[in-house]
Amino acid sequence: MKKHIVVASHNPVKIEAVKRGFERLFPDTEIKIEGVSVESGVPDQPMSDEETRAGAHNRAANAREKVPDADFWFGVEGGIERHNGGMQSFAWIAACADGQFGESRTTTFQLPPEVVKLVEEGLELGDADDQVFGKTNSKQENGAVGLLTRNAITRTLLYEQAVCLALIPFVRPELFPGE
């Protein structure tokens, strides 16, 4: 059986994370995956858990509108939030298919003060990371988490786990009555 999956982004990290997570939970399913550009309905740099979650949901819904004949639609939204005097980064994943919905949030990690300062001055996290670490377009590669962990955990790996968790209602549909 072949499934058509739409990821609400052209970012190769997000597409690869969805691909890996989906293949991990549905190893016998052949997939066709594509990225589409859609609006998130939130600022380019979401600054709270609520904004980030809304961005993921909006992206999945907008991807469904843009490509209505797919089987699955995913929204992946990275965000940051102030916490205990510092700033933490994380992402929300929203997955939907006809009659079913799932979501998950990645683990959080602390951002260094130099990056926080640039974000507070108005830069997106990826741009702040590029400036601090002397990189270009790191958000489409290993991301802040990869830069900070020396690639022990990459952005793809971080998102892949959350994709798997967002797919729980599809793996165990008998436990999650659809809409």
Side-chain angles (χ1 to χ4, degrees):
M1 174 185 332
K2 188 172 192 169
K3 296 289 183 184
H4 181 189
I5 299 170
V6 176
V7 180
S9 176
H10 285 296
N11 186 319
V13 168
K14 294 177 179 182
I15 294 168
E16 183 65 18
V18 170
K19 178 182 179 292
R20 288 182 188 182
F22 196 92
E23 287 175 341
R24 184 179 284 223
L25 292 178
F26 299 99
D28 298 327
T29 302
E30 183 183 348
I31 65 170
K32 171 190 170 193
I33 191 164
E34 70 174 303
V36 297
S37 181
V38 297
E39 291 296 318
S40 68
V42 299
D44 289 341
Q45 180 57 76
M47 298 291 287
S48 70
D49 187 60
E50 294 81 18
E51 266 186 356
T52 308
R53 182 174 178 263
H57 285 255
N58 292 343
R59 285 186 188 277
N62 291 339
R64 187 175 188 166
E65 262 186 45
K66 191 168 192 171
V67 187
D69 62 335
D71 297 300
F72 282 86
W73 300 268
F74 284 85
V76 180
E77 188 76 27
I80 52 181
E81 185 169 63
R82 289 208 150 282
H83 187 70
N84 291 334
M87 191 174 281
Q88 295 187 339
S89 180
F90 53 90
W92 272 95
I93 312 297
C96 63
D98 286 332
Q100 194 57 274
F101 175 79
E103 67 177 358
S104 180
R105 187 179 133 161
T106 68
T107 55
T108 53
F109 60 95
Q110 185 176 355
L111 297 172
E114 192 175 353
V115 171
V116 171
K117 180 178 180 293
L118 292 170
V119 169
E120 288 174 335
E121 291 172 359
L123 287 182
E124 284 187 51
L125 177 58
D127 296 330
D129 290 334
D130 288 349
Q131 192 169 322
V132 169
F133 292 98
K135 300 288 183 184
T136 302
N137 207 19
S138 61
K139 68 183 179 182
Q140 292 199 358
E141 294 177 6
N142 51 0
V145 70
L147 292 167
L148 293 168
T149 65
R150 297 187 177 129
N151 290 320
I153 299 173
T154 63
R155 192 173 187 211
T156 303
L157 180 61
L158 182 72
Y159 289 1
E160 179 184 344
Q161 285 185 334
V163 168
C164 289
L165 298 173
L167 285 169
I168 288 173
F170 304 96
V171 173
R172 300 295 306 266
E174 72 278 10
L175 300 174
F176 295 86
E179 297 174 6

